Amino acid sequence: MNRVLVTGGSGFIGSNFLRYFLNKFKDISVINLDKLTYAGLRSNTVEHETNPRYEFVHGDICNAELVKSLMSRVDSVIHFAAETHVDRSIDSPDEFVRTNVLGTNTLLNAAKNAKLKRFIHFSTDEVYGSIKQGSFTETFPLDPSSPYSAAKAASDLLALAYHKTHGIPVIIMRCTNNYGPYHFPEKVIPLFITNLIEGKKVPLYAKGGNVRDWLYVEDTARAVSFVFEHGKIGEIYNVAGRCELSNIELTGMILKEFGKGEEMIQYVKDRLAHDFRYSLDMSKLEALGFEITSTIHDNLRKTIDWYRANEAWWRKLKADRYTLK
Ligand code: NAD
């Protein structure tokens, strides 16, 4: 039995990943280490609670003793845990540095004494910064713009340095903007969907010209599982959704699904240092045999259906959000 320590498995990508991974590999058991911050919910993984191949540990990746003891029980690490919301990182960056940089360092440091086969460090396209034309390959220099992406870039560099210095079997994955079920309703797609269900307008930054590449979270789960099986130690793999849209195009698609038009858009003040466009070249991963076949039309509809069917899940989070801080 392969044993895997997954960090941040109660968040958006982590919980979708666990659903896919535990179902795909019946010879794998997982320990999910999650601090359950505002973004992590134990109920996101409730279906695994009775699965003998699943164990939940409520804890912090910055807790060196805890991390060391968990790592001695596994042969792989898949590290998702992070503070993830760019706007929050602009207002209060400290927790981003603590979790994303110090937390990753704590995990890597513990990996020195563990006998791991692989340590997948999960990162973001935002570490490359913005690109006007063309797409970033994995060899581009890092040029992050926000405290969030700077902290992620620092964690990527730490992971690579531990690979060089201590031989930790690191693989880095950098992916584009995810969307799908269980996405916290502060992020653009679930915020817009839930606002429209509530009959409210959608707040769009500036003129909505910024471009993002959209990756369905199930495709991300497939990509991580693919890299888990086929990825090479010491390598970096970009994962793109192959679906670049300006924010106004994306907004138009969502509004159309609700039978609404531009009257539901409320333009708001732009984010500071708002990156114009992210774009990743994922030919390296495709050369190994991975491909994206799903389309945003189907996936957006599935996502909207999920938010319609799970109002209790997001209504509570939205209500709590205003009592946070
Ligand atoms: P999320 O905010 O939904 O979930 C983060 C999870 O990490 C939560 O369950 C939270 O409780 C946990 N966590 C936070 N701090 C912790 C700590 N100190 N110790 C243990 N657990 C902690 O985030 P997400 O969107 O699922 O992102 C997961 C990973 O994917 C992150 O590393 C993020 O940088 C990366 N990523 C996300 C996207 C995206 O579009 N969502 C895109 C590219 C990369």
Short mmCIF file of all heavy atoms in Angstrom, two decimals, residues 54-99:
data_model
loop_
_atom_site.label_atom_id
_atom_site.label_comp_id
_atom_site.label_asym_id
_atom_site.label_seq_id
_atom_site.Cartn_x
_atom_site.Cartn_y
_atom_site.Cartn_z
N TYR A 54 -8.45 6.42 4.54
CA TYR A 54 -8.41 7.88 4.74
C TYR A 54 -8.29 8.22 6.22
O TYR A 54 -8.98 7.63 7.06
CB TYR A 54 -9.69 8.51 4.19
CG TYR A 54 -9.79 10.00 4.43
CD1 TYR A 54 -9.09 10.91 3.64
CD2 TYR A 54 -10.59 10.51 5.46
CE1 TYR A 54 -9.19 12.28 3.87
CE2 TYR A 54 -10.70 11.88 5.69
CZ TYR A 54 -9.99 12.76 4.88
OH TYR A 54 -10.08 14.10 5.10
N GLU A 55 -7.40 9.17 6.52
CA GLU A 55 -7.28 9.65 7.91
C GLU A 55 -7.19 11.17 7.87
O GLU A 55 -6.44 11.72 7.06
CB GLU A 55 -5.99 9.06 8.52
CG GLU A 55 -5.74 9.48 9.94
CD GLU A 55 -4.39 8.93 10.46
OE1 GLU A 55 -3.85 7.95 9.87
OE2 GLU A 55 -3.87 9.52 11.42
N PHE A 56 -7.96 11.81 8.73
CA PHE A 56 -7.89 13.28 8.81
C PHE A 56 -7.09 13.69 10.03
O PHE A 56 -7.31 13.18 11.13
CB PHE A 56 -9.30 13.88 8.89
CG PHE A 56 -9.27 15.36 9.08
CD1 PHE A 56 -8.92 16.18 8.01
CD2 PHE A 56 -9.54 15.94 10.32
CE1 PHE A 56 -8.86 17.57 8.18
CE2 PHE A 56 -9.47 17.32 10.48
CZ PHE A 56 -9.13 18.13 9.41
N VAL A 57 -6.15 14.60 9.85
CA VAL A 57 -5.41 15.16 10.99
C VAL A 57 -5.59 16.67 10.97
O VAL A 57 -5.26 17.34 9.98
CB VAL A 57 -3.90 14.81 10.91
CG1 VAL A 57 -3.14 15.50 12.04
CG2 VAL A 57 -3.69 13.31 10.97
N HIS A 58 -6.16 17.18 12.06
CA HIS A 58 -6.37 18.63 12.17
C HIS A 58 -5.08 19.25 12.70
O HIS A 58 -4.72 19.05 13.87
CB HIS A 58 -7.54 18.89 13.13
CG HIS A 58 -7.91 20.33 13.21
ND1 HIS A 58 -8.66 20.86 14.23
CD2 HIS A 58 -7.63 21.37 12.38
CE1 HIS A 58 -8.83 22.16 14.03
NE2 HIS A 58 -8.19 22.49 12.91
N GLY A 59 -4.36 19.95 11.85
CA GLY A 59 -3.10 20.53 12.30
C GLY A 59 -2.50 21.47 11.28
O GLY A 59 -3.01 21.63 10.17
N ASP A 60 -1.38 22.06 11.69
CA ASP A 60 -0.76 23.14 10.94
C ASP A 60 0.52 22.63 10.26
O ASP A 60 1.33 21.96 10.92
CB ASP A 60 -0.41 24.24 11.96
CG ASP A 60 -0.02 25.55 11.32
OD1 ASP A 60 0.53 25.54 10.20
OD2 ASP A 60 -0.26 26.59 11.95
N ILE A 61 0.73 22.96 9.00
CA ILE A 61 1.97 22.53 8.34
C ILE A 61 3.21 23.22 8.93
O ILE A 61 4.33 22.82 8.65
CB ILE A 61 1.94 22.74 6.80
CG1 ILE A 61 1.68 24.20 6.44
CG2 ILE A 61 0.93 21.82 6.14
CD1 ILE A 61 1.97 24.54 4.98
N CYS A 62 2.99 24.25 9.75
CA CYS A 62 4.14 24.91 10.41
C CYS A 62 4.54 24.20 11.70
O CYS A 62 5.53 24.59 12.35
CB CYS A 62 3.80 26.37 10.74
SG CYS A 62 3.45 27.36 9.29
N ASN A 63 3.79 23.18 12.11
CA ASN A 63 4.09 22.44 13.34
C ASN A 63 5.12 21.35 13.02
O ASN A 63 4.78 20.27 12.53
CB ASN A 63 2.77 21.85 13.89
CG ASN A 63 2.98 21.04 15.15
OD1 ASN A 63 4.08 20.58 15.44
ND2 ASN A 63 1.91 20.85 15.89
N ALA A 64 6.39 21.63 13.32
CA ALA A 64 7.49 20.76 12.89
C ALA A 64 7.38 19.34 13.47
O ALA A 64 7.62 18.35 12.79
CB ALA A 64 8.83 21.39 13.27
N GLU A 65 7.00 19.24 14.76
CA GLU A 65 6.89 17.92 15.40
C GLU A 65 5.82 17.07 14.73
O GLU A 65 6.03 15.90 14.41
CB GLU A 65 6.54 18.08 16.90
CG GLU A 65 7.73 18.42 17.77
CD GLU A 65 8.87 17.40 17.59
OE1 GLU A 65 8.62 16.20 17.72
OE2 GLU A 65 10.01 17.84 17.29
N LEU A 66 4.67 17.69 14.53
CA LEU A 66 3.55 16.98 13.91
C LEU A 66 3.91 16.54 12.49
O LEU A 66 3.71 15.39 12.10
CB LEU A 66 2.31 17.90 13.88
CG LEU A 66 1.09 17.35 13.13
CD1 LEU A 66 0.53 16.11 13.84
CD2 LEU A 66 -0.01 18.42 13.02
N VAL A 67 4.48 17.46 11.73
CA VAL A 67 4.83 17.16 10.34
C VAL A 67 5.85 16.03 10.28
O VAL A 67 5.76 15.11 9.46
CB VAL A 67 5.37 18.46 9.67
CG1 VAL A 67 6.14 18.16 8.42
CG2 VAL A 67 4.21 19.43 9.39
N LYS A 68 6.82 16.08 11.20
CA LYS A 68 7.86 15.04 11.22
C LYS A 68 7.24 13.66 11.49
O LYS A 68 7.55 12.67 10.82
CB LYS A 68 8.86 15.39 12.34
CG LYS A 68 10.12 14.57 12.31
CD LYS A 68 11.08 15.12 13.35
CE LYS A 68 12.05 14.03 13.75
NZ LYS A 68 12.66 14.28 15.04
N SER A 69 6.32 13.60 12.47
CA SER A 69 5.75 12.29 12.81
C SER A 69 4.86 11.78 11.67
O SER A 69 4.86 10.60 11.36
CB SER A 69 4.99 12.35 14.14
OG SER A 69 3.73 12.93 13.95
N LEU A 70 4.12 12.66 11.00
CA LEU A 70 3.26 12.20 9.90
C LEU A 70 4.12 11.75 8.72
O LEU A 70 3.82 10.76 8.05
CB LEU A 70 2.31 13.32 9.45
CG LEU A 70 1.26 13.75 10.48
CD1 LEU A 70 0.41 14.90 9.94
CD2 LEU A 70 0.35 12.57 10.86
N MET A 71 5.21 12.47 8.48
CA MET A 71 6.02 12.13 7.31
C MET A 71 6.73 10.79 7.47
O MET A 71 7.02 10.12 6.48
CB MET A 71 7.02 13.25 7.03
CG MET A 71 7.08 13.49 5.54
SD MET A 71 8.06 14.85 5.07
CE MET A 71 6.94 16.20 5.09
N SER A 72 6.94 10.38 8.71
CA SER A 72 7.59 9.08 8.92
C SER A 72 6.64 7.93 8.57
O SER A 72 7.05 6.78 8.49
CB SER A 72 8.05 8.95 10.38
OG SER A 72 6.91 8.86 11.21
N ARG A 73 5.35 8.24 8.37
CA ARG A 73 4.36 7.18 8.09
C ARG A 73 3.98 7.10 6.61
O ARG A 73 3.10 6.34 6.25
CB ARG A 73 3.10 7.46 8.91
CG ARG A 73 3.32 7.37 10.42
CD ARG A 73 2.09 7.86 11.18
NE ARG A 73 0.89 7.24 10.69
CZ ARG A 73 -0.34 7.76 10.81
NH1 ARG A 73 -0.50 8.91 11.43
NH2 ARG A 73 -1.37 7.14 10.33
N VAL A 74 4.59 7.93 5.77
CA VAL A 74 4.16 7.96 4.35
C VAL A 74 5.36 7.79 3.42
O VAL A 74 6.51 7.93 3.84
CB VAL A 74 3.44 9.29 4.01
CG1 VAL A 74 2.18 9.46 4.83
CG2 VAL A 74 4.38 10.49 4.19
N ASP A 75 5.07 7.50 2.15
CA ASP A 75 6.17 7.48 1.18
C ASP A 75 6.04 8.56 0.10
O ASP A 75 6.91 8.67 -0.76
CB ASP A 75 6.37 6.09 0.55
CG ASP A 75 5.07 5.39 0.25
OD1 ASP A 75 4.18 6.05 -0.28
OD2 ASP A 75 4.97 4.19 0.58
N SER A 76 4.95 9.35 0.15
CA SER A 76 4.81 10.47 -0.78
C SER A 76 4.13 11.64 -0.08
O SER A 76 3.37 11.44 0.87
CB SER A 76 3.94 10.10 -1.99
OG SER A 76 4.50 9.05 -2.72
N VAL A 77 4.41 12.84 -0.58
CA VAL A 77 3.73 14.05 -0.09
C VAL A 77 3.13 14.77 -1.29
O VAL A 77 3.78 14.88 -2.35
CB VAL A 77 4.72 14.99 0.63
CG1 VAL A 77 4.06 16.32 0.99
CG2 VAL A 77 5.29 14.33 1.88
N ILE A 78 1.88 15.22 -1.14
CA ILE A 78 1.29 16.12 -2.14
C ILE A 78 0.85 17.36 -1.37
O ILE A 78 -0.04 17.29 -0.52
CB ILE A 78 0.11 15.46 -2.88
CG1 ILE A 78 0.57 14.14 -3.53
CG2 ILE A 78 -0.45 16.41 -3.95
CD1 ILE A 78 -0.52 13.37 -4.26
N HIS A 79 1.50 18.47 -1.65
CA HIS A 79 1.38 19.66 -0.81
C HIS A 79 0.54 20.75 -1.49
O HIS A 79 1.01 21.47 -2.37
CB HIS A 79 2.80 20.17 -0.54
CG HIS A 79 2.88 21.48 0.18
ND1 HIS A 79 1.97 21.86 1.15
CD2 HIS A 79 3.77 22.51 0.08
CE1 HIS A 79 2.30 23.06 1.60
NE2 HIS A 79 3.38 23.48 0.97
N PHE A 80 -0.73 20.85 -1.02
CA PHE A 80 -1.63 21.90 -1.52
C PHE A 80 -1.80 23.05 -0.53
O PHE A 80 -2.19 24.15 -0.93
CB PHE A 80 -3.06 21.34 -1.74
CG PHE A 80 -3.21 20.31 -2.81
CD1 PHE A 80 -3.43 18.98 -2.48
CD2 PHE A 80 -3.17 20.65 -4.15
CE1 PHE A 80 -3.60 18.01 -3.46
CE2 PHE A 80 -3.33 19.70 -5.14
CZ PHE A 80 -3.55 18.37 -4.79
N ALA A 81 -1.59 22.80 0.76
CA ALA A 81 -1.98 23.77 1.79
C ALA A 81 -1.33 25.13 1.54
O ALA A 81 -0.12 25.22 1.31
CB ALA A 81 -1.59 23.27 3.17
N ALA A 82 -2.14 26.16 1.58
CA ALA A 82 -1.63 27.52 1.38
C ALA A 82 -2.72 28.52 1.74
O ALA A 82 -3.89 28.17 1.80
CB ALA A 82 -1.21 27.73 -0.08
N GLU A 83 -2.30 29.74 1.97
CA GLU A 83 -3.23 30.87 1.94
C GLU A 83 -3.31 31.26 0.47
O GLU A 83 -2.26 31.39 -0.19
CB GLU A 83 -2.71 32.03 2.79
CG GLU A 83 -2.81 31.80 4.28
CD GLU A 83 -4.25 31.74 4.78
OE1 GLU A 83 -5.14 32.34 4.13
OE2 GLU A 83 -4.50 31.07 5.79
N THR A 84 -4.53 31.48 -0.06
CA THR A 84 -4.64 31.52 -1.51
C THR A 84 -5.32 32.75 -2.12
O THR A 84 -5.34 32.88 -3.34
CB THR A 84 -5.43 30.29 -2.02
OG1 THR A 84 -6.74 30.31 -1.42
CG2 THR A 84 -4.73 28.99 -1.67
N HIS A 85 -5.90 33.60 -1.30
CA HIS A 85 -6.69 34.67 -1.93
C HIS A 85 -5.87 35.96 -2.09
O HIS A 85 -5.47 36.57 -1.10
CB HIS A 85 -7.95 34.94 -1.09
CG HIS A 85 -8.95 35.79 -1.81
ND1 HIS A 85 -9.29 35.61 -3.14
CD2 HIS A 85 -9.68 36.85 -1.41
CE1 HIS A 85 -10.18 36.50 -3.51
NE2 HIS A 85 -10.43 37.27 -2.47
N VAL A 86 -5.64 36.34 -3.35
CA VAL A 86 -4.75 37.48 -3.66
C VAL A 86 -5.18 38.75 -2.92
O VAL A 86 -4.35 39.44 -2.32
CB VAL A 86 -4.72 37.73 -5.18
CG1 VAL A 86 -3.92 38.99 -5.50
CG2 VAL A 86 -4.11 36.54 -5.91
N ASP A 87 -6.47 39.07 -2.94
CA ASP A 87 -6.93 40.31 -2.29
C ASP A 87 -6.61 40.31 -0.80
O ASP A 87 -6.21 41.33 -0.23
CB ASP A 87 -8.44 40.50 -2.49
CG ASP A 87 -8.77 40.81 -3.94
OD1 ASP A 87 -7.88 41.30 -4.67
OD2 ASP A 87 -9.91 40.56 -4.35
N ARG A 88 -6.78 39.16 -0.15
CA ARG A 88 -6.44 39.06 1.27
C ARG A 88 -4.94 39.27 1.48
O ARG A 88 -4.52 39.84 2.47
CB ARG A 88 -6.81 37.68 1.83
CG ARG A 88 -8.27 37.47 2.07
CD ARG A 88 -8.52 36.03 2.52
NE ARG A 88 -9.93 35.76 2.58
CZ ARG A 88 -10.68 35.83 3.68
NH1 ARG A 88 -10.14 36.13 4.83
NH2 ARG A 88 -11.96 35.57 3.64
N SER A 89 -4.11 38.78 0.53
CA SER A 89 -2.66 38.91 0.70
C SER A 89 -2.21 40.36 0.57
O SER A 89 -1.18 40.75 1.12
CB SER A 89 -1.91 38.03 -0.32
OG SER A 89 -1.81 38.65 -1.59
N ILE A 90 -2.99 41.15 -0.15
CA ILE A 90 -2.65 42.57 -0.28
C ILE A 90 -2.97 43.30 1.03
O ILE A 90 -2.21 44.14 1.50
CB ILE A 90 -3.41 43.18 -1.49
CG1 ILE A 90 -2.87 42.57 -2.78
CG2 ILE A 90 -3.28 44.71 -1.51
CD1 ILE A 90 -3.68 42.84 -4.03
N ASP A 91 -4.08 42.90 1.67
CA ASP A 91 -4.48 43.53 2.94
C ASP A 91 -3.69 43.00 4.13
O ASP A 91 -3.29 43.77 5.00
CB ASP A 91 -5.97 43.27 3.21
CG ASP A 91 -6.85 44.02 2.23
OD1 ASP A 91 -6.34 44.98 1.61
OD2 ASP A 91 -8.02 43.63 2.06
N SER A 92 -3.48 41.70 4.20
CA SER A 92 -2.81 41.09 5.37
C SER A 92 -1.85 39.98 4.92
O SER A 92 -2.23 38.81 4.88
CB SER A 92 -3.82 40.49 6.36
OG SER A 92 -5.12 40.82 6.07
N PRO A 93 -0.62 40.36 4.56
CA PRO A 93 0.31 39.40 3.97
C PRO A 93 0.96 38.41 4.95
O PRO A 93 1.47 37.37 4.52
CB PRO A 93 1.38 40.29 3.34
CG PRO A 93 1.30 41.57 4.10
CD PRO A 93 -0.11 41.74 4.54
N ASP A 94 0.96 38.70 6.26
CA ASP A 94 1.78 37.91 7.19
C ASP A 94 1.45 36.41 7.13
O ASP A 94 2.35 35.57 7.10
CB ASP A 94 1.59 38.39 8.63
CG ASP A 94 2.13 39.79 8.84
OD1 ASP A 94 2.49 40.43 7.83
OD2 ASP A 94 2.16 40.26 9.99
N GLU A 95 0.16 36.10 7.14
CA GLU A 95 -0.24 34.69 7.17
C GLU A 95 0.18 33.99 5.87
O GLU A 95 0.42 32.77 5.85
CB GLU A 95 -1.77 34.61 7.37
CG GLU A 95 -2.27 33.29 7.91
CD GLU A 95 -1.59 32.82 9.20
OE1 GLU A 95 -1.14 33.66 10.00
OE2 GLU A 95 -1.49 31.59 9.39
N PHE A 96 0.31 34.75 4.80
CA PHE A 96 0.73 34.17 3.52
C PHE A 96 2.19 33.75 3.58
O PHE A 96 2.57 32.70 3.07
CB PHE A 96 0.49 35.17 2.38
CG PHE A 96 -0.97 35.29 2.03
CD1 PHE A 96 -1.85 35.96 2.86
CD2 PHE A 96 -1.47 34.70 0.89
CE1 PHE A 96 -3.20 36.04 2.57
CE2 PHE A 96 -2.82 34.76 0.59
CZ PHE A 96 -3.69 35.43 1.43
N VAL A 97 3.00 34.60 4.21
CA VAL A 97 4.42 34.26 4.34
C VAL A 97 4.57 33.09 5.32
O VAL A 97 5.31 32.13 5.06
CB VAL A 97 5.23 35.49 4.82
CG1 VAL A 97 6.68 35.11 5.08
CG2 VAL A 97 5.14 36.60 3.79
N ARG A 98 3.79 33.14 6.39
CA ARG A 98 3.89 32.08 7.40
C ARG A 98 3.54 30.71 6.79
O ARG A 98 4.34 29.78 6.82
CB ARG A 98 2.97 32.40 8.58
CG ARG A 98 3.07 31.40 9.71
CD ARG A 98 2.08 31.72 10.83
NE ARG A 98 2.09 30.65 11.79
CZ ARG A 98 1.41 29.52 11.66
NH1 ARG A 98 0.64 29.33 10.60
NH2 ARG A 98 1.50 28.57 12.56
N THR A 99 2.36 30.61 6.23
CA THR A 99 1.93 29.29 5.73
C THR A 99 2.66 28.91 4.44
O THR A 99 3.21 27.81 4.33
CB THR A 99 0.40 29.28 5.49
OG1 THR A 99 -0.24 29.28 6.76
CG2 THR A 99 -0.04 28.05 4.72
#
